[in-house]
Amino acid sequence: MINNKKVYKVVDYLTPAEVCKAIGISEKSTPLITRWINNGKIRGHKRFGRNKAIPVNWVKSECQSRGIDWQGVELEDNEIGVSLDGYIDLKAYASNSNKTYDQLYKDIVNGKIKNYIRFGNAFGLPKE
């Protein structure tokens, strides 16, 4: 481990950009992934903040159909795998608590909150 900072990484869902990379298409093809979601091709997706979250099971199936050997989300030494279902996006968390989004964001940036996740461009905190 390079440093002792733990990073919580989502292992059960991927962003559209991560899906593109996993299935072997250009990362600029995220509109295609969105179209697949809108057309019902990707089942079990959800939203996290403004991001679309695609289940790893769907990605594995798509990789298999394309002949790609993808084992799932890989973790670095300082990363801890977590489920997206255990987290709530920062805006929703702020509206459910008596803190503002800005306060929570500053606490994350300043290292006061350690158990956050980053999924796409959204931060999340554990559900209470």
Side-chain angles (χ1 to χ4, degrees):
M1 186 175 345
I2 296 172
N3 61 37
N4 60 2
K5 181 182 177 198
K6 294 179 185 175
V7 176
Y8 297 90
K9 185 172 182 178
V10 174
V11 295
D12 55 349
Y13 287 88
L14 296 178
T15 65
E18 292 169 327
V19 170
C20 289
K21 186 176 178 182
I23 66 173
I25 63 176
S26 168
E27 289 183 48
K28 294 179 181 179
S29 297
T30 57
L32 174 64
I33 303 300
T34 301
R35 221 169 323 158
W36 288 350
I37 289 170
N38 294 340
N39 292 337
K41 180 177 179 180
I42 301 176
R43 301 220 183 267
H45 69 281
K46 60 172 60 177
R47 292 189 65 82
F48 190 84
R50 296 166 88 183
N51 300 285
K52 292 185 176 17
I54 295 102
V56 164
N57 290 340
W58 182 88
V59 179
K60 284 182 181 178
S61 174
E62 185 68 17
C63 285
Q64 186 177 25
S65 71
R66 292 170 178 260
I68 298 169
D69 182 32
W70 185 75
Q71 299 301 315
V73 176
E74 294 181 15
L75 298 173
E76 301 292 326
D77 288 342
N78 65 330
E79 293 178 328
I80 297 170
V82 296
S83 172
L84 188 64
D85 293 331
Y87 289 79
I88 184 169
D89 72 83
L90 205 55
K91 283 191 178 186
Y93 190 96
S95 71
N96 293 340
S97 69
N98 53 353
K99 289 191 174 187
T100 66
Y101 175 87
D102 291 338
Q103 285 175 307
L104 292 168
Y105 180 78
K106 285 178 187 176
D107 287 347
I108 288 172
V109 170
N110 293 326
K112 293 180 181 176
I113 297 176
K114 307 239 186 267
N115 58 342
Y116 68 90
I117 60 166
R118 179 128 194 208
F119 186 79
N121 63 0
F123 287 99
L125 292 172
K127 291 179 179 177
E128 294 182 314

